[in-house]
Amino acid sequence: MGINDKYRECDQTQKAYQKQDAVFVARRRVAGAKKQKSMRYVKSIGLGFKTPKEAVEGNYVDKKCPFTGNVNIRGRILKGLCISAGKMTNTIVVRRDYLHYIPKYRRYEKRHKNVHVHCSPAFVGIKEGDVVTIGQCRPLAKTVRFNALSVEPTTNTALNIKKVFRMF
């Protein structure tokens, strides 16, 4: 009876054993305790964002996830259009469009930047064309400094997603 009855082993998709750092698996049950806490570490990131249902009830381990891992969101909160999803493991590319003013001609020109974003396994159905809210965090990889916080699914899939100019 060393291992708790409520503990479900996490998805093992890597060669190394995957477990959450904040969970002690070999916890003993207390005889007088009525309700036991779940064996999954989940936190609220604050800033008005709700923790996704998949993060609470899911079975994944991701140390770079803002909801279940060791990453804090601080700095900028941005919105953009997902232009590449599913090609990199847990990473998406978000396009941010903006207008740049040219004083000589007193007009604006369209510009854009592509931002590499870590996408938690909590957002399983993300695809190209979805509007993604991202939050700045510590550097997670060479080019990744943002984390996906929420996803708004797209309704129109007929347009060419990569070239549409869309401001938020």
Side-chain angles (χ1 to χ4, degrees), residues 6-88:
K6 296 238 180 202
Y7 179 71
R8 286 183 320 185
E9 187 170 328
C10 298
D11 294 336
Q12 302 297 323
T13 57
Q14 307 290 325
K15 287 185 177 181
Y17 180 70
Q18 300 293 303
K19 69 180 188 66
Q20 287 186 308
D21 289 335
V23 175
F24 181 59
V25 179
R27 180 176 72 180
R28 298 191 188 278
R29 290 187 295 161
V30 179
K34 292 182 179 132
K35 182 183 174 193
Q36 292 213 343
K37 292 187 341 188
S38 66
M39 295 287 289
R40 183 161 176 80
Y41 173 72
V42 180
K43 68 178 180 179
S44 171
I45 61 167
L47 304 169
F49 292 98
K50 296 204 186 252
T51 304
K53 185 178 178 185
E54 181 64 30
V56 177
E57 299 174 359
N59 212 18
Y60 68 89
V61 174
D62 184 12
K63 66 180 183 178
K64 297 177 182 177
C65 173
F67 306 105
T68 62
N70 186 21
V71 175
N72 292 328
I73 302 299
R74 81 284 192 281
R76 295 179 177 263
I77 306 291
L78 308 170
K79 268 191 174 188
L81 193 68
C82 178
I83 60 169
S84 172
K87 297 175 184 169
M88 294 180 278

Side-chain angles (χ1 to χ4, degrees), residues 92-115:
I92 60 174
V93 178
V94 173
R95 179 184 171 117
R96 298 211 55 245
D97 296 315
Y98 59 95
L99 296 173
H100 178 248
Y101 184 65
I102 309 295
K104 179 178 177 183
Y105 300 110
R106 289 189 247 146
R107 283 173 171 72
Y108 292 92
E109 67 180 0
K110 296 175 184 176
R111 289 189 178 181
H112 80 276
K113 293 279 188 213
N114 289 342
V115 181

Side-chain angles (χ1 to χ4, degrees), residues 82 85-86 92 94 119-120 123-128 130-132 148 150-151:
C82 178
I92 60 174
V94 173
C119 185
S120 167
F123 304 114
V124 286
I126 192 167
K127 54 190 179 302
E128 295 177 4
D130 292 348
V131 176
V132 183
S150 67
V151 177

